[in-house]
Short mmCIF file of all heavy atoms in Angstrom, two decimals:
data_model
loop_
_atom_site.label_atom_id
_atom_site.label_comp_id
_atom_site.label_asym_id
_atom_site.label_seq_id
_atom_site.Cartn_x
_atom_site.Cartn_y
_atom_site.Cartn_z
N PRO Z 41 -69.05 -31.59 -37.50
CA PRO Z 41 -70.35 -30.89 -37.51
C PRO Z 41 -71.34 -31.54 -38.48
O PRO Z 41 -70.93 -32.21 -39.43
CB PRO Z 41 -69.92 -29.50 -38.02
CG PRO Z 41 -68.61 -29.63 -38.70
CD PRO Z 41 -67.94 -30.83 -38.09
N ASN Z 47 -74.72 -25.92 -43.08
CA ASN Z 47 -75.63 -25.09 -43.87
C ASN Z 47 -75.68 -23.62 -43.38
O ASN Z 47 -75.98 -22.73 -44.14
CB ASN Z 47 -77.06 -25.65 -43.84
CG ASN Z 47 -77.19 -26.90 -44.67
OD1 ASN Z 47 -76.33 -27.19 -45.53
ND2 ASN Z 47 -78.25 -27.67 -44.44
N ASN Z 50 -73.52 -21.44 -45.61
CA ASN Z 50 -73.56 -21.56 -47.08
C ASN Z 50 -73.49 -20.21 -47.79
O ASN Z 50 -72.95 -20.16 -48.92
CB ASN Z 50 -74.79 -22.32 -47.53
CG ASN Z 50 -74.61 -23.82 -47.38
OD1 ASN Z 50 -73.51 -24.28 -47.04
ND2 ASN Z 50 -75.63 -24.59 -47.65
N LEU Z 53 -70.28 -19.03 -49.46
CA LEU Z 53 -69.85 -19.51 -50.78
C LEU Z 53 -69.93 -18.42 -51.86
O LEU Z 53 -69.19 -18.46 -52.83
CB LEU Z 53 -70.67 -20.72 -51.24
CG LEU Z 53 -70.53 -21.94 -50.38
CD1 LEU Z 53 -71.41 -23.06 -50.89
CD2 LEU Z 53 -69.07 -22.39 -50.37
N ALA Z 57 -68.24 -12.52 -54.22
CA ALA Z 57 -68.60 -12.01 -55.56
C ALA Z 57 -67.39 -11.37 -56.20
O ALA Z 57 -66.44 -12.08 -56.52
CB ALA Z 57 -69.77 -11.06 -55.47
N ARG Z 69 -56.00 -11.85 -53.95
CA ARG Z 69 -55.78 -12.87 -54.97
C ARG Z 69 -54.30 -13.14 -55.15
O ARG Z 69 -53.91 -14.21 -55.60
CB ARG Z 69 -56.37 -12.40 -56.31
CG ARG Z 69 -57.84 -12.10 -56.25
CD ARG Z 69 -58.32 -11.43 -57.54
NE ARG Z 69 -57.58 -10.22 -57.82
CZ ARG Z 69 -57.69 -9.51 -58.93
NH1 ARG Z 69 -58.56 -9.86 -59.85
NH2 ARG Z 69 -56.95 -8.42 -59.11
N TYR Z 71 -49.96 -13.01 -54.17
CA TYR Z 71 -49.07 -13.56 -53.15
C TYR Z 71 -48.97 -12.59 -51.95
O TYR Z 71 -49.34 -11.43 -52.04
CB TYR Z 71 -47.67 -13.73 -53.70
CG TYR Z 71 -47.50 -14.83 -54.74
CD1 TYR Z 71 -47.11 -14.55 -56.04
CD2 TYR Z 71 -47.74 -16.17 -54.38
CE1 TYR Z 71 -46.90 -15.55 -56.99
CE2 TYR Z 71 -47.56 -17.15 -55.33
CZ TYR Z 71 -47.13 -16.86 -56.62
OH TYR Z 71 -46.96 -17.86 -57.54
N ASN Z 100 -56.36 -24.09 -43.23
CA ASN Z 100 -57.60 -24.64 -42.83
C ASN Z 100 -57.51 -25.66 -41.68
O ASN Z 100 -58.47 -26.25 -41.28
CB ASN Z 100 -58.28 -25.36 -44.01
CG ASN Z 100 -57.60 -26.68 -44.34
OD1 ASN Z 100 -56.41 -26.77 -44.28
ND2 ASN Z 100 -58.39 -27.68 -44.66
N ALA Z 104 -52.42 -28.78 -38.23
CA ALA Z 104 -51.23 -28.55 -39.04
C ALA Z 104 -50.31 -27.52 -38.38
O ALA Z 104 -49.07 -27.62 -38.43
CB ALA Z 104 -51.59 -28.14 -40.46
N HIS Z 116 -35.24 -27.45 -35.07
CA HIS Z 116 -34.55 -26.16 -35.01
C HIS Z 116 -34.55 -25.47 -33.67
O HIS Z 116 -33.98 -24.38 -33.53
CB HIS Z 116 -35.15 -25.20 -36.07
CG HIS Z 116 -34.76 -25.52 -37.47
ND1 HIS Z 116 -35.28 -26.62 -38.14
CD2 HIS Z 116 -33.89 -24.97 -38.31
CE1 HIS Z 116 -34.74 -26.67 -39.34
NE2 HIS Z 116 -33.89 -25.70 -39.50
N TYR Z 148 -45.47 -39.61 -33.67
CA TYR Z 148 -44.76 -39.41 -34.95
C TYR Z 148 -43.32 -38.91 -34.70
O TYR Z 148 -42.39 -39.33 -35.38
CB TYR Z 148 -45.54 -38.44 -35.82
CG TYR Z 148 -44.96 -38.28 -37.20
CD1 TYR Z 148 -45.15 -39.22 -38.19
CD2 TYR Z 148 -44.14 -37.17 -37.49
CE1 TYR Z 148 -44.59 -39.08 -39.44
CE2 TYR Z 148 -43.58 -37.03 -38.76
CZ TYR Z 148 -43.81 -37.99 -39.72
OH TYR Z 148 -43.24 -37.86 -40.97
N LYS Z 257 -65.06 -25.59 -36.76
CA LYS Z 257 -66.39 -25.90 -36.27
C LYS Z 257 -67.21 -24.62 -36.07
O LYS Z 257 -68.10 -24.54 -35.25
CB LYS Z 257 -66.30 -26.75 -34.99
CG LYS Z 257 -65.71 -28.12 -35.27
CD LYS Z 257 -65.54 -28.94 -34.02
CE LYS Z 257 -64.99 -30.33 -34.36
NZ LYS Z 257 -63.51 -30.40 -34.31
N ALA Z 261 -65.96 -27.22 -41.78
CA ALA Z 261 -64.94 -28.02 -41.07
C ALA Z 261 -63.66 -28.16 -41.89
O ALA Z 261 -62.54 -28.06 -41.39
CB ALA Z 261 -65.50 -29.39 -40.78
N GLY Z 262 -63.81 -28.37 -43.20
CA GLY Z 262 -62.63 -28.60 -44.04
C GLY Z 262 -62.12 -27.36 -44.73
O GLY Z 262 -61.05 -27.38 -45.32
N ARG Z 281 -39.66 -18.87 -39.96
CA ARG Z 281 -39.80 -20.18 -40.57
C ARG Z 281 -40.84 -20.19 -41.66
O ARG Z 281 -40.60 -20.70 -42.79
CB ARG Z 281 -40.17 -21.24 -39.50
CG ARG Z 281 -40.49 -22.62 -40.07
CD ARG Z 281 -40.84 -23.58 -38.90
NE ARG Z 281 -41.38 -24.83 -39.31
CZ ARG Z 281 -40.71 -26.00 -39.38
NH1 ARG Z 281 -39.39 -25.96 -39.17
NH2 ARG Z 281 -41.26 -27.11 -39.71
N GLN Z 285 -41.26 -21.43 -45.74
CA GLN Z 285 -42.20 -22.49 -46.08
C GLN Z 285 -43.15 -22.14 -47.17
O GLN Z 285 -43.62 -23.01 -47.94
CB GLN Z 285 -43.07 -22.82 -44.84
CG GLN Z 285 -42.47 -23.78 -43.90
CD GLN Z 285 -43.36 -24.00 -42.69
OE1 GLN Z 285 -43.78 -23.05 -42.05
NE2 GLN Z 285 -43.64 -25.26 -42.37
N GLY Z 288 -47.23 -17.34 -48.72
CA GLY Z 288 -48.37 -16.70 -48.06
C GLY Z 288 -49.57 -17.65 -47.94
O GLY Z 288 -49.64 -18.61 -48.64
N MET Z 292 -57.81 -15.21 -49.81
CA MET Z 292 -59.17 -15.10 -50.29
C MET Z 292 -60.13 -15.78 -49.27
O MET Z 292 -61.20 -15.27 -49.00
CB MET Z 292 -59.35 -15.81 -51.66
CG MET Z 292 -58.72 -15.06 -52.83
SD MET Z 292 -59.33 -13.35 -53.05
CE MET Z 292 -61.02 -13.67 -53.43
N ASN S 47 -57.53 -11.10 -63.00
CA ASN S 47 -58.94 -10.87 -63.38
C ASN S 47 -59.53 -11.99 -64.21
O ASN S 47 -60.75 -12.21 -64.20
CB ASN S 47 -59.01 -9.58 -64.19
CG ASN S 47 -58.84 -8.32 -63.33
OD1 ASN S 47 -58.97 -8.39 -62.10
ND2 ASN S 47 -58.54 -7.20 -63.95
N ASN S 50 -61.72 -14.18 -62.01
CA ASN S 50 -62.65 -13.57 -61.02
C ASN S 50 -64.00 -14.32 -60.92
O ASN S 50 -64.62 -14.34 -59.88
CB ASN S 50 -62.90 -12.11 -61.34
CG ASN S 50 -61.78 -11.25 -60.80
OD1 ASN S 50 -60.86 -11.75 -60.13
ND2 ASN S 50 -61.84 -9.95 -61.06
N LEU S 53 -64.82 -16.64 -58.04
CA LEU S 53 -65.24 -16.19 -56.73
C LEU S 53 -66.69 -16.52 -56.44
O LEU S 53 -67.10 -16.66 -55.29
CB LEU S 53 -65.07 -14.65 -56.62
CG LEU S 53 -63.65 -14.18 -56.65
CD1 LEU S 53 -63.57 -12.66 -56.60
CD2 LEU S 53 -62.86 -14.78 -55.51
N ALA S 57 -71.53 -20.93 -55.68
CA ALA S 57 -72.86 -20.60 -55.23
C ALA S 57 -73.31 -21.61 -54.15
O ALA S 57 -72.77 -21.62 -53.07
CB ALA S 57 -73.84 -20.55 -56.39
N ARG S 69 -67.54 -29.34 -47.71
CA ARG S 69 -67.52 -28.47 -46.57
C ARG S 69 -66.96 -29.14 -45.33
O ARG S 69 -66.42 -28.52 -44.43
CB ARG S 69 -68.94 -27.95 -46.25
CG ARG S 69 -69.60 -27.20 -47.40
CD ARG S 69 -71.06 -26.94 -47.08
NE ARG S 69 -71.77 -28.20 -46.79
CZ ARG S 69 -73.03 -28.27 -46.37
NH1 ARG S 69 -73.73 -27.16 -46.23
NH2 ARG S 69 -73.61 -29.43 -46.13
N ASN S 70 -67.09 -30.45 -45.26
CA ASN S 70 -66.72 -31.16 -44.05
C ASN S 70 -65.28 -31.65 -44.10
O ASN S 70 -64.53 -31.42 -45.02
CB ASN S 70 -67.70 -32.31 -43.80
CG ASN S 70 -68.12 -32.36 -42.32
OD1 ASN S 70 -67.29 -32.11 -41.46
ND2 ASN S 70 -69.36 -32.66 -42.04
N TYR S 71 -64.86 -32.34 -43.04
CA TYR S 71 -63.50 -32.88 -42.95
C TYR S 71 -63.25 -34.02 -43.96
O TYR S 71 -64.19 -34.54 -44.55
CB TYR S 71 -63.30 -33.47 -41.56
CG TYR S 71 -63.22 -32.50 -40.43
CD1 TYR S 71 -64.15 -32.53 -39.38
CD2 TYR S 71 -62.21 -31.55 -40.38
CE1 TYR S 71 -64.08 -31.64 -38.29
CE2 TYR S 71 -62.16 -30.65 -39.29
CZ TYR S 71 -63.08 -30.70 -38.27
OH TYR S 71 -63.01 -29.84 -37.19
N ASN S 100 -52.47 -24.16 -50.95
CA ASN S 100 -52.26 -23.06 -51.90
C ASN S 100 -50.79 -22.84 -52.24
O ASN S 100 -50.49 -21.92 -53.00
CB ASN S 100 -52.88 -21.75 -51.35
CG ASN S 100 -52.01 -21.16 -50.26
OD1 ASN S 100 -51.47 -21.88 -49.43
ND2 ASN S 100 -51.83 -19.86 -50.24
N ALA S 104 -44.70 -25.04 -49.96
CA ALA S 104 -44.98 -25.71 -48.69
C ALA S 104 -44.86 -27.23 -48.86
O ALA S 104 -44.39 -27.93 -47.93
CB ALA S 104 -46.34 -25.31 -48.15
N HIS S 116 -37.40 -38.07 -40.74
CA HIS S 116 -37.98 -39.39 -40.73
C HIS S 116 -37.50 -40.30 -41.81
O HIS S 116 -37.89 -41.47 -41.89
CB HIS S 116 -39.52 -39.32 -40.77
CG HIS S 116 -40.13 -38.91 -39.46
ND1 HIS S 116 -40.06 -37.60 -39.02
CD2 HIS S 116 -40.77 -39.57 -38.50
CE1 HIS S 116 -40.64 -37.52 -37.84
NE2 HIS S 116 -41.09 -38.69 -37.50
N TYR S 148 -32.19 -23.52 -44.68
CA TYR S 148 -32.93 -23.68 -43.42
C TYR S 148 -32.61 -25.02 -42.75
O TYR S 148 -32.47 -25.10 -41.55
CB TYR S 148 -34.43 -23.55 -43.69
CG TYR S 148 -35.27 -23.62 -42.45
CD1 TYR S 148 -35.41 -22.49 -41.64
CD2 TYR S 148 -35.92 -24.79 -42.08
CE1 TYR S 148 -36.17 -22.52 -40.47
CE2 TYR S 148 -36.66 -24.83 -40.89
CZ TYR S 148 -36.80 -23.73 -40.12
OH TYR S 148 -37.53 -23.79 -38.96
N LYS S 257 -50.10 -19.65 -60.63
CA LYS S 257 -50.02 -18.71 -61.77
C LYS S 257 -51.00 -19.14 -62.86
O LYS S 257 -50.77 -18.89 -64.05
CB LYS S 257 -48.57 -18.63 -62.25
CG LYS S 257 -47.67 -17.96 -61.23
CD LYS S 257 -46.21 -17.89 -61.63
CE LYS S 257 -45.38 -17.21 -60.60
NZ LYS S 257 -44.79 -18.12 -59.62
N ALA S 261 -52.78 -16.30 -57.44
CA ALA S 261 -51.42 -16.62 -56.93
C ALA S 261 -51.47 -17.07 -55.48
O ALA S 261 -50.81 -18.02 -55.12
CB ALA S 261 -50.54 -15.38 -57.10
N GLY S 262 -52.25 -16.40 -54.67
CA GLY S 262 -52.28 -16.73 -53.25
C GLY S 262 -53.36 -17.69 -52.83
O GLY S 262 -53.38 -18.16 -51.70
N ARG S 281 -47.80 -39.54 -43.35
CA ARG S 281 -47.42 -38.35 -42.61
C ARG S 281 -48.55 -37.34 -42.60
O ARG S 281 -48.89 -36.75 -41.58
CB ARG S 281 -46.16 -37.72 -43.24
CG ARG S 281 -45.76 -36.38 -42.64
CD ARG S 281 -44.48 -35.89 -43.29
NE ARG S 281 -44.12 -34.52 -43.00
CZ ARG S 281 -43.20 -34.15 -42.11
NH1 ARG S 281 -42.53 -35.05 -41.42
NH2 ARG S 281 -42.92 -32.87 -41.90
N GLN S 285 -50.65 -34.87 -39.81
CA GLN S 285 -50.53 -33.43 -39.95
C GLN S 285 -51.86 -32.67 -39.99
O GLN S 285 -51.96 -31.54 -39.48
CB GLN S 285 -49.78 -33.04 -41.20
CG GLN S 285 -48.31 -33.05 -41.10
CD GLN S 285 -47.68 -32.73 -42.45
OE1 GLN S 285 -47.99 -33.31 -43.45
NE2 GLN S 285 -46.77 -31.77 -42.42
N GLY S 288 -57.39 -32.92 -43.32
CA GLY S 288 -57.75 -32.83 -44.75
C GLY S 288 -57.50 -31.44 -45.32
O GLY S 288 -57.37 -30.47 -44.57
N MET S 292 -63.18 -27.22 -50.53
CA MET S 292 -64.05 -26.24 -51.22
C MET S 292 -63.26 -25.50 -52.28
O MET S 292 -63.74 -25.24 -53.37
CB MET S 292 -64.60 -25.21 -50.17
CG MET S 292 -65.66 -25.77 -49.26
SD MET S 292 -67.08 -26.50 -50.08
CE MET S 292 -67.76 -25.04 -50.84
#
Side-chain angles (χ1 to χ4, degrees):
Chain Z
N47 287 343
N50 279 355
L53 295 179
R69 301 171 304 175
Y71 290 119
N100 74 320
H116 286 75
Y148 184 79
K257 292 177 178 92
R281 173 179 170 99
Q285 276 178 308
M292 288 303 295
Chain S
N47 287 342
N50 278 357
L53 294 179
R69 300 171 305 174
N70 224 323
Y71 289 119
N100 75 320
H116 285 74
Y148 183 79
K257 293 178 179 93
R281 173 178 169 102
Q285 275 177 308
M292 288 303 295

